[in-house]
Amino acid sequence: MYEPKPEDKFTFGMWTVGNIGRDPFGEPVRPALTAVQIVEMLAEVGAWGVNFHDNDLIPIDATPAERDKIKKEFRQALDATGVVVPMATTNLFTDPAFRDGAFTANDPKVRAYALQKTMNAIDLGVEFGAKIYVFWGGREGTETDAGKDPVTAIKRSREAMNFLCEYVIDQGYDLKFALEAKPNEPRGDIYNATTGNMLAFIETLDHPQMVGVNPEVAHEQMAGLNFTHHVAQALEAGKLFHIDLNDQVPGRYDQDFRFGAVNIKSSFFLVKLLEDYGYDSSRHFDAHAYRSSNYDDVKEFARGCIRNYLILREKVAQFNSDSEIQALLAEINEDDGSMSGFSGAYSAQKAAALREHGFDRAALGRRGQPYERLDQLTVELLMGVR
Ligand code: GCO
Ligand code: MN
Ligand code: MN
């Protein structure tokens, strides 16, 4: 039970299971793994795919010979294990060149270098089969708004996205972009801080149909927001191209915990949303094992992410077929049809009829909803006593 299948599309970033456990207070605790070792570990835990930043695979200062050797060995590991590369992205945050951001940096040379680096990274991702290209603007922000005009920052972000969309079209690549919002960390404040901001921004681009979002559990939760509602908005707009699953205590630093490790109930509603609406892209885990783990425990972390998703998916099926829960939902959503003449598209007749209709306001106010009962049943189901 709870064995992952390829159609579940469980993926991990190379930077997740390969994370060496450096933090602002401490040095690495785990030795760096090669790309080949990471692919082998992911195959062992049952992942379908691996995603990478350009420099997860190829160090920023690699010689052409080193690059070719790494690519060859990586390809062999993919072929040997059957692990695929559905998504790729650019590291625009580690190198000191990006200390003031990339596409929104004040230095035009940095902005141009960021475009060049991204074009190369897109080529690399496409070479290994990526169909989704993620943009996470980790350093696209400020600590003080004294030095950067936030309107200019939006315009610079748009110019970069338009340029890179044209590049993809020009190359004839079958590639879509997914924009990932985060409120802060590593910058004090990051532009386009939520998935909702990104959705609005996308509609201002030259090729909005090529661009969707990559929401991440921890990022909305860091800001104290309801992640499932943000994902719902993206999904309803046809913009949920990818998703980053992990967990996070709201209000804390960026924790990147194992999916389902903290907020079981909100993870359940997220899985329910994805499953009820037939989400069909990668289920990507962008999480890190505890710094106290060694690699045997990192594997437990990766298996735990997958298992928690599959267990919650089973709970969703149970919720959807629980007769008491479904009866309550039917009662909650009861509709006797008497209002159907007033809903849907506007017409002058409808508006006139609605104006004439008498409502028993006091009766409306007397009706309660059994949400306590429904929530308790949900909690009991999640606690395994139903
Ligand atoms: C973070 C982000 C990153 C991105 C990754 C892919 O908080 O550090 O979530 O992990 O997802 O860079 O773009
Ligand atoms: Mn993150
Ligand atoms: Mn992420």
Side-chain angles (χ1 to χ4, degrees), residues 15 53 89 93 134 136 180 182 216 219 244 254 286:
W15 66 95
H53 301 86
T89 183
F93 43 89
V134 164
W136 170 65
E180 178 178 345
K182 187 176 184 181
E216 174 170 317
H219 295 179
D244 278 7
D254 180 15
D286 188 7

Side-chain angles (χ1 to χ4, degrees), residues 73-94:
E73 290 169 355
F74 182 56
R75 169 76 69 196
Q76 283 167 351
L78 294 173
D79 291 346
T81 55
V83 171
V84 297
V85 176
M87 177 272 261
T89 183
T90 330
N91 185 325
L92 297 173
F93 43 89
T94 299

Side-chain angles (χ1 to χ4, degrees), residues 181 191-202 213 220 230 233:
Y191 298 125
N192 277 331
T194 69
T195 300
N197 290 80
M198 286 298 186
L199 288 169
F201 171 71
I202 288 167
V213 290
E220 256 77 27
H230 283 76
Q233 190 178 4

